[in-house]
Amino acid sequence: MSDESPNPSVDRDDLSADSSDDPADSDTTAEPAAASDDAADAAASAAADAQDAADAQDAATAQPSVPDPDAASGGDDAPDVPPDVQKYARFKKMDGAQYDRVNEFLRERTYVTAREWAIARLCADFRTETGVEMTKIGENLPDLVPFMTDTYTPQAVNQARSSFEEKVRKAGATFLYGAMCDFFTAEELDDVMYEATEVAKFLLEVEGVDLTVEEELDAEDRISAVMRDVRESSAELRHDHSECPECGHDLTADD
């Protein structure tokens, strides 16, 4: 995906204005007499001085062709930004971040890209009773996410959301199989869960979610309890007998 940057355009009318100084144009007004030449030179000099003065005035009053960030956000000619987009506070901690850096971080630790992560978050936040406001998300994407510089069509937003959902489902199936197939020991599985939880918490914090220590510990305890249930249930599926082959725990006994 290409990140577009402001492209300072050159006004072609300014370039074409310089063509009036082409020496070829003076051939039509040149006279053989010396007096006429002096008069022509004086007139040309006066015209040049007048042109220089006009150019200086234009340069002092002309507006730069590079878009002004302040004008883009609040000028009269700027497109209207919906109020909920203006108030959107996610990803503010990533002001100034580049897409490539964010993408590299995610690809090293997850299956999703920066584009899929950002749009999945937006789709969750801009969900209504009738669906997701994909047009609003796509048209205001650079205002919503600092490291996204392109607008998206509703179809592109939907594609990124679908890709995120598919990857989460596949990653979930892969993880659950790894937990159930007896490949990991209980301690190794705890390590996997700890690393995954740390990455997930970091992404939530980047999005602006403030987690207290109590909330983090409670989430870890609940995840550990679920994983213990998964291990016991998977052991029961893998073995015909009702006793856990690792610890001798009676799988049919009520806790």
Side-chain angles (χ1 to χ4, degrees), residues 78-183:
D80 293 335
V81 178
D84 51 350
V85 172
Q86 296 178 8
K87 297 178 181 179
Y88 192 74
R90 304 273 192 196
F91 303 106
K92 293 301 182 183
K93 293 182 179 181
M94 303 194 72
D95 285 347
Q98 297 296 317
Y99 179 88
D100 289 342
R101 293 292 300 277
V102 178
N103 198 48
E104 180 181 358
F105 175 88
L106 286 173
R107 295 305 294 266
E108 288 178 354
R109 296 165 177 82
T110 73
Y111 278 137
V112 300
T113 64
R115 173 182 70 98
E116 294 162 346
W117 170 44
I119 289 181
R121 178 72 268 171
L122 294 173
C123 286
D125 289 343
F126 286 88
R127 183 185 295 121
T128 66
E129 295 180 356
T130 57
V132 177
E133 297 179 280
M134 295 187 182
T135 299
K136 178 184 290 185
I137 292 173
E139 291 179 348
N140 297 281
L141 192 55
D143 294 317
L144 293 166
V145 184
F147 56 83
M148 300 295 290
T149 58
D150 292 335
T151 58
Y152 273 39
T153 64
Q155 292 78 10
V157 173
N158 185 55
Q159 189 277 333
R161 182 186 69 159
S162 299
S163 180
F164 177 86
E165 181 177 352
E166 180 181 2
K167 289 182 178 180
V168 169
R169 290 180 180 275
K170 289 183 177 180
T174 304
F175 169 77
L176 191 58
Y177 171 74
M180 295 177 65
C181 73
D182 206 25
F183 178 84

